[in-house]
Amino acid sequence: MRLKINHTSVYTYDEPVQYSLQRLRLTPRTQPGQTVRDWRTTVHGAHVEVGYADHFGNHVDLVSTNADQTTIRIVAEGEVDTEDRAGVFGAHQGFVPLWLYLRETALTKPGRLVRELARATDGENELARMHAMMGLIHKAIDYKAGETAADTTAERALEKGSGVCQDHAHVMIAAARVLGLPARYVSGYLLMDGQTDQTASHAWADVHIQGLGWIGFDAANDICPDDRYVRLATGLCYGDAAPVSGLVLGRAAETMSVAIRVEAAGQGQSQSQS
């Protein structure tokens, strides 16, 4: 399937910003399951200092503001051909060793609830256990926007019983690591059924299973990623793979708006289930 994507982020400040620095992880790479046909990122009100690949293999653009800016507009857009691989990404790639993906972070540190969920997961093998775990997380956390924030931990999300895809991914990652399986966070896009326009990107988890490699698990939707998904970045948790992150010097209050459009190329609306 060919997906056409437009991701626009606008940052508005109540007084001029003298300096800000942002990392943009808004460029998908050609990799197993996807081929980037065309992609461009345009920044207004700031300029790209440098582009590079980070230690996880993500493409990162480092962007700084010009002086006295009150608005920064970032537009990432293009077309990506995708393939349904039933969630199988495949062999581990890159310089980061697999054991690093067993390391907990502040967002994925397991507590009592995460450990109990991991212990309650049954299956005849590791793959079956991960599918069962995905289903348990899907039932344990209702999808509700606005219930959690970017700094909500996996344990807190389980305690609340509600959250967004970021929270489902963090719980899946934390619980898989409790069982000794390397796991990582994936940010990207999802073609949704009847909802071409979206207000946020998507997130899911990869778990590494011996003999199969990395397998994707989207606990928010209780499915393994297929050809409706496009990968942007990966890392130990949200902090390593956030589409936009950075800092602003000064006291200016920031307002952010995000508009994302994902559709099958050449069609006016999406045709898949969310």
Side-chain angles (χ1 to χ4, degrees):
M1 182 186 301
R2 182 167 297 180
L3 299 181
K4 183 178 181 180
I5 300 164
N6 180 287
H7 182 164
T8 301
S9 302
V10 179
Y11 296 82
T12 304
Y13 303 94
D14 64 352
E15 60 183 65
V17 172
Q18 295 299 316
Y19 182 77
S20 73
L21 191 64
Q22 294 176 312
R23 290 184 298 267
L24 310 184
R25 301 181 188 90
L26 290 169
T27 302
R29 296 180 298 112
T30 293
Q31 54 190 300
Q34 66 184 44
T35 300
V36 180
R37 305 290 301 187
D38 174 61
W39 198 268
R40 56 199 171 277
T41 300
T42 307
V43 181
H44 304 276
H47 63 279
V48 178
E49 297 282 358
V50 66
Y52 61 94
D54 68 12
H55 53 296
F56 292 110
N58 306 316
H59 179 87
V60 182
D61 288 313
L62 200 61
V63 174
S64 67
T65 58
N66 303 316
D68 297 328
Q69 290 297 315
T70 57
T71 302
I72 301 172
R73 180 183 176 89
I74 303 166
V75 180
E77 57 187 339
E79 294 187 356
V80 181
D81 287 343
T82 59
E83 175 188 357
D84 185 356
R85 295 167 58 95
V88 179
F89 179 85
H92 180 60
Q93 303 175 356
F95 299 106
V96 176
L98 270 176
W99 58 257
L100 184 68
Y101 293 98
L102 291 168
R103 192 180 74 185
E104 64 186 39
T105 68
L107 293 173
T108 60
K109 182 179 177 64
R112 177 182 61 84
L113 295 177
V114 169
R115 294 184 186 278
E116 287 179 353
L117 184 145
R119 288 195 295 267
T121 305
D122 295 322
E124 60 184 11
N125 53 45
E126 290 179 345
L127 179 60
R129 293 187 76 180
M130 291 303 99
H131 277 284
M133 178 183 290
M134 177 171 65
L136 290 176
I137 295 169
H138 181 73
K139 292 178 181 178
I141 302 177
D142 292 333
Y143 189 96
K144 292 183 180 179
E147 295 286 311
T148 54
D151 60 355
T152 299
T153 65
E155 185 73 10
R156 177 57 178 157
L158 263 183
E159 182 182 8
K160 285 181 65 66
S162 59
V164 293
C165 55
Q166 172 183 309
D167 304 299
H168 292 89
H170 281 154
V171 174
M172 185 83 195
I173 291 165
R177 289 174 182 164
V178 167
L179 296 177
L181 297 176
R184 64 187 181 185
Y185 186 97
V186 186
S187 65
Y189 302 109
L190 169 61
L191 176 67
M192 300 176 69
D193 183 23
Q195 189 177 338
T196 301
D197 295 319
Q198 306 170 28
T199 58
S201 56
H202 196 50
W204 59 97
D206 274 351
V207 179
H208 192 273
I209 297 176
Q210 190 67 32
L212 293 174
W214 290 109
I215 311 293
F217 296 92
D218 180 5
N221 290 295
D222 198 19
I223 57 173
C224 288
D226 52 28
D227 59 353
R228 298 170 296 161
Y229 290 70
V230 171
R231 290 168 172 263
L232 273 179
T234 62
L236 297 181
C237 64
Y238 169 78
D240 296 323
V244 182
S245 62
L247 58 86
V248 177
L249 296 184
R251 300 179 179 179
E254 177 184 272
T255 301
M256 179 185 68
S257 64
V258 176
I260 297 174
R261 186 175 182 86
V262 182
E263 60 186 330
Q267 299 184 20
Q269 61 183 29
S270 58
Q271 297 180 335
S272 301
Q273 182 179 354
S274 62

